[in-house]
Amino acid sequence: MSLTWSAKDHKSYTNPPAVTGLKRPRNDTGNKVTVVLGAQWGDEGKGKVVDLLATEADLVCRCQGGNNAGHTVVVDGKEYDFHLLPSGIINSKSISLIGNGVVIHLPGLFEEGDKNEKKGLKGWDKRLIVSDRAHLVFDFHQVVDGLQETQRQAQEGKNIGTTKKGIGPTYSSKASRTGLRVCDLLGDFKDFSARFKNLVQQYQSMYPSLTVDVEDQLKKLKEYGERLRPMVRDGVYYMYEALHGPPKKILVEGANAALLDIDFGTYPFVTSSNCTVGGACTGLGIPPVNIGDVFGVSKAYTTRVGIGAFPTEQLNAVGELLQTRGHEVGVTTGRKRRCGWLDLVILKYAHMINGFTAIALTKLDILDVLDEIKVGVAYKLNGKRIPHFPANMEVLHKVEVEYETFPGWKTDTSAARKWNDLPAKAQNYIRFIENHIGVPIKWVGVGKSRECMIQMF
Ligand code: GDP
Ligand code: IMO
Ligand code: MG
């Protein structure tokens, strides 16, 4: 049986297959999906891990977030950055899917596709499927994102440091049931236009300075909608067929990360979607029984973009070294990332929620020059260890981190391709992390490109 799909498998949205034969034998749970999730505050190298796995995948799906994500993939010396497109789009043999849980800014999507096409990524639009249930990010959502940041700054003296991609306002529209979805745009345009106008009015009543050229927006949206139409499917049915058809390798590419999750992250300094494993089910419409491996991605140290507590942050020469050596600059916003030691408390917390089956530890090579390396192993409050990760940000700001110190290996690891190529001190560092979290480390990253990944088992 073939493990790959061809573009011929695409069926037109205007002529969808009849929903028949949904019954399957009870013991046939179907194909399993492999989920790749950020285990820290984002930018752990998810794009690189997905790219590695996507070379064998038939279907690569995004399930949440929007173009706040910035995933880097380096292949044959060429660097690609993906924001809304699943990183698997690079593999001409696999299909990419944007699920219902994703919020889509259509100008952003096409700009990203066109930009990558100029870099040599051919036929991306023939390999992309978009769920009809996905919500749309409008230009005014992005403007409102900026206005809300200004308001936070004025009212509280600080903002969140969002990407200003309209993520919060769009998920707010979704939750308040005034949002508009792909299926609305492709349905009766008169009805869509009326609802669009109502939504604009609602935001204008909240933000009187907001100006929107409604007719111009609607004209552009109609054009984008027609360009999108051939890619749109009923996402639930599409996934059902993928899970219950012939054997397929299906990947889910998480965006953002556990500590940015709307429920489990460092609220309110988080994004607006579930970036933990539940988001894979709700964002694609798939049952939990179809979740297979869940791979957590973590750097060998920690970074964070934007505001919020960061217990192991190093506002010193170590932090600066990690920032410069690691080229720690946001892919989406170009902001410098804050840097610090690896924090095993947050990794254990991310594991409690996600149940990782294995971990990819990236950017080990960045630590190559350090004399000593510290790892946060516990948090203390008033001198006493606490067993949980604090929900309250005031408490998190107060915790004292207990560190374990390791001697640096002071050796270039970037050419290492197998476990035995790594210096003993680096092996010791990796084994300590693995034992402390209680999850096997399956890959160790020692460079940007696809081949710079040591596979452990
Ligand atoms: P994502 O958002 O999780 O996909 O990660 P980003 O792409 O935002 O940031 C990760 C950065 O680290 C990118 O510039 C990657 O090319 C780079 N990177 C990933 N893994 C490694 C690694 O093992 N070593 C080095 N030096 N760079 C890496
Ligand atoms: P990837 O997928 C790092 C952060 C923003 C901000 C907060 C809220 O590349 O790992 P938002 O625009 O989502 O409302 O911003 O979340 N943030 C990320 N930080 N990597 C990301 O994605 C992020 N996505 C959101 O910096 O602090
Ligand atoms: Mg990123």
Side-chain angles (χ1 to χ4, degrees):
M1 244 178 280
S2 163
L3 281 178
T4 52
W5 282 350
S6 79
K8 277 189 299 201
D9 295 325
H10 288 233
K11 294 182 188 97
S12 159
Y13 183 67
T14 48
N15 186 21
V19 183
T20 53
L22 278 171
K23 280 198 194 118
R24 300 275 170 189
R26 280 209 179 148
N27 59 358
D28 174 13
T29 52
N31 294 314
K32 298 276 186 202
V33 306
T34 299
V35 187
V36 176
L37 299 171
Q40 300 170 304
W41 276 287
D43 305 324
E44 299 92 347
K46 296 175 289 294
K48 187 183 164 200
V49 175
V50 167
D51 170 60
L52 194 76
L53 296 166
T55 52
E56 287 190 353
D58 301 296
L59 180 61
V60 184
C61 316
R62 275 279 306 270
C63 61
Q64 43 69 231
N67 55 357
N68 52 349
H71 297 177
T72 317
V73 177
V74 183
V75 185
D76 299 330
K78 231 186 236 181
E79 188 159 322
Y80 299 86
D81 55 298
F82 296 113
H83 301 270
L84 265 166
L85 291 172
S87 300
I89 198 86
I90 222 160
N91 177 6
S92 61
K93 292 203 184 82
S94 71
I95 299 294
S96 287
L97 183 140
I98 297 180
N100 57 277
V102 177
V103 290
I104 308 175
H105 182 244
L106 290 175
L109 176 69
F110 289 114
E111 197 181 300
E112 182 179 338
D114 294 344
K115 188 182 86 182
N116 282 300
E117 194 159 322
K118 285 197 188 101
K119 278 194 191 172
L121 186 74
K122 298 274 175 272
W124 64 272
D125 49 348
K126 307 284 182 302
R127 302 196 291 276
L128 182 67
I129 300 289
V130 177
S131 167
D132 54 355
R133 289 179 173 82
H135 276 252
L136 294 169
V137 179
F138 299 118
D139 288 347
F140 69 80
H141 280 127
Q142 299 194 337
V143 177
V144 168
D145 198 344
L147 292 172
Q148 288 179 339
E149 283 284 79
T150 311
Q151 196 172 55
R152 284 180 195 115
Q153 189 68 45
Q155 289 179 337
E156 301 164 42
K158 58 177 187 268
N159 54 32
I160 294 176
T162 74
T163 58
K164 300 198 181 149
K165 297 292 180 188
I167 306 301
T170 306
Y171 280 114
S172 301
S173 297
K174 174 177 176 174
S176 60
R177 293 149 295 176
T178 49
L180 284 154
R181 302 185 292 172
V182 167
C183 57
D184 302 317
L185 177 63
L186 300 192
D188 178 356
F189 196 72
K190 241 172 88 181
D191 185 45
F192 175 85
S193 305
R195 288 173 62 190
F196 181 84
K197 283 175 193 165
N198 287 343
L199 190 58
V200 170
Q201 269 175 19
Q202 281 169 18
Y203 273 105
Q204 283 177 326
S205 64
M206 280 188 282
Y207 302 96
S209 68
L210 178 70
T211 54
V212 182
D213 185 340
V214 171
E215 293 313 319
D216 181 62
Q217 285 286 303
L218 285 172
K219 183 170 161 278
K220 286 181 179 146
L221 282 163
K222 198 168 174 33
E223 285 165 15
Y224 282 125
E226 290 315 314
R227 203 173 160 194
L228 189 73
R229 192 181 291 275
M231 306 172 203
V232 178
R233 299 287 183 283
D234 183 301
V236 175
Y237 187 70
Y238 194 89
M239 284 308 297
Y240 180 81
E241 289 280 285
L243 293 174
H244 296 282
K248 281 194 173 60
K249 290 189 178 158
I250 305 172
L251 257 182
V252 179
E253 174 176 357
N256 328 122
L259 276 292
L260 292 171
D261 184 286
I262 183 81
D263 282 280
F264 304 111
T266 43
Y267 193 90
F269 302 101
V270 293
T271 190
S272 301
S273 65
N274 281 120
C275 330
T276 44
V277 69
C281 292
T282 56
L284 290 167
I286 60 174
V289 74
N290 291 99
I291 303 289
D293 276 318
V294 180
F295 297 135
V297 188
S298 167
K299 284 180 199 181
Y301 50 98
T302 310
T303 65
R304 176 165 200 176
V305 194
I307 318 295
F310 180 174
T312 61
E313 183 170 22
Q314 296 298 301
L315 295 166
N316 52 30
V318 170
E320 274 166 36
L321 182 128
L322 294 172
Q323 199 277 321
T324 45
R325 253 185 84 73
H327 304 287
E328 295 297 351
V329 177
V331 181
T332 303
T333 57
R335 289 177 291 175
K336 270 192 183 178
R337 295 173 183 146
R338 300 156 62 194
C339 298
W341 297 121
L342 185 65
D343 184 340
L344 294 181
V345 179
I346 71 167
L347 289 190
K348 277 174 112 168
Y349 175 63
H351 176 50
M352 285 179 204
I353 301 159
N354 290 315
F356 296 133
T357 50
I359 283 180
L361 188 75
T362 61
K363 300 191 107 166
L364 184 82
D365 53 305
I366 304 306
L367 306 181
D368 285 350
V369 296
L370 290 164
D371 293 325
E372 60 171 33
I373 298 161
K374 291 189 178 193
V375 182
V377 290
Y379 290 168
K380 280 191 200 160
L381 265 180
N382 307 319
K384 267 200 184 144
R385 272 190 176 201
I386 52 168
H388 60 277
F389 182 79
N392 183 300
M393 285 311 99
E394 274 172 48
V395 177
L396 190 60
H397 273 294
K398 279 195 209 135
V399 297
E400 186 196 331
V401 183
E402 201 177 300
Y403 288 100
E404 193 81 28
T405 305
F406 293 84
W409 43 90
K410 309 272 281 179
T411 311
D412 182 358
T413 59
S414 63
R417 293 293 173 269
K418 47 186 196 307
W419 174 248
N420 288 338
D421 295 339
L422 289 173
K425 285 175 181 159
Q427 292 181 342
N428 188 33
Y429 181 70
I430 295 164
R431 289 298 182 218
F432 178 83
I433 297 166
E434 192 170 65
N435 287 333
H436 194 91
I437 314 170
V439 182
I441 292 179
K442 191 172 168 71
W443 296 277
V444 176
V446 290
K448 277 181 162 231
S449 42
R450 209 182 251 176
E451 59 278 11
C452 299
M453 205 65 151
I454 298 170
Q455 182 156 351
M456 314 269 278
F457 59 92

